[in-house]
């Protein structure tokens, strides 16, 4: 009777110790990357909110010119709210609703830190598209801030 020689077959897979070390290393990398990711997310959110606000202010300005009538934008800052409204304009996505942007909701998750309208309660554009006052609106998400300005004389809208 011929017997085949015994061969040792190596085990395939990972040991529990190897798996634990890999998970530990991945955890260290994730812990190092999390703060940078959170900061980048805050920067992205506040940039989106500032660009949305600037676009909406330009839209209100263009609407005032197109209708040759005044167009107002009202702001409600915390603690009473965290939104702005283009008065008299309908929401293009929901025509039954007013044009209201709630900055604390997705995708912005931002806060109106301050709204300076030279003592006025709303930013109003006349029939020529010129604002009745200068405006400075500061937005924040996390530790990041952006400022949207409207110049009184030229009516230009800028983001800083």
């Amino acid at each position: 009777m011929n017997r085949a020689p015994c061969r040792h077959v190596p085990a395939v897979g990972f040991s529990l110790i190897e798996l634990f070390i890999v998970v530990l290393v991945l955890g260290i990398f994730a812990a190092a990357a999390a703060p940078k990711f959170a900061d980048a997310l805050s920067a992205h959110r506040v940039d989106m909110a500032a660009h949305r606000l600037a676009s909406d202010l330009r839209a209100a300005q263009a609407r005032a010119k197109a209708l040759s009538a005044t167009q107002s934008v009202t702001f409600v800052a915390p603690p009473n709210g965290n939104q702005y409204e283009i008065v008299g304009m309908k929401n293009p996505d929901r025509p039954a609703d007013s044009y209201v942007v709630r900055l604390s909701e997705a995708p912005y998750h931002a806060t109106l830190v301050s709204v300076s309208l030279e003592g006025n309660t709303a930013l109003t554009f006349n029939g020529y598209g010129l604002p009745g006052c200068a405006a400075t609106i500061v937005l924040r998400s996390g530790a990041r801030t952006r400022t949207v300005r409207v110049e009184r004389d030229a009516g230009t809208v800028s983001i800083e």
Side-chain angles (χ1 to χ4, degrees):
M1 200 167 173
N2 268 342
R3 286 189 163 181
C6 274
R7 293 186 190 156
H8 179 65
V9 177
V12 178
F14 299 104
S15 71
L16 191 57
I17 293 173
E18 291 170 324
L19 185 63
F20 177 74
I21 290 172
V22 168
V23 169
L24 182 67
V25 169
L26 289 175
I28 291 169
F29 285 145
K36 291 193 180 286
F37 177 76
D39 187 50
L41 185 60
S42 292
H44 179 69
R45 285 178 172 166
V46 77
D47 283 344
M48 281 193 320
H51 281 91
R52 172 74 185 266
L53 175 58
S55 288
D56 286 345
L57 292 174
R58 290 181 190 113
Q61 189 175 33
R63 187 168 193 257
K65 283 184 199 178
L67 298 176
S68 294
T70 59
Q71 177 63 61
S72 297
V73 180
T74 60
F75 295 88
V76 181
N80 301 324
N82 193 29
Q83 65 190 31
Y84 63 89
E85 176 183 1
I86 301 176
V87 178
M89 190 169 161
K90 297 295 180 187
N91 187 325
D93 297 327
R94 293 178 301 278
D97 295 342
S98 298
Y99 194 98
V100 177
V101 176
R102 291 172 181 82
L103 294 167
S104 58
E105 295 177 0
Y108 309 112
H109 300 288
T111 304
L112 274 169
V113 175
S114 67
V115 179
S116 174
L117 303 172
E118 295 180 347
N120 295 311
T121 57
L123 177 59
T124 303
F125 295 97
N126 66 20
Y128 298 105
L130 296 175
C133 63
T136 303
I137 302 115
V138 180
L139 304 168
R140 178 178 53 227
S141 179
R144 298 294 189 115
T145 61
R146 285 287 181 265
T147 302
V148 178
R149 293 189 193 278
V150 180
E151 291 183 29
R152 181 183 182 130
D153 297 330
T156 56
V157 179
S158 62
I159 300 172
E160 299 173 359

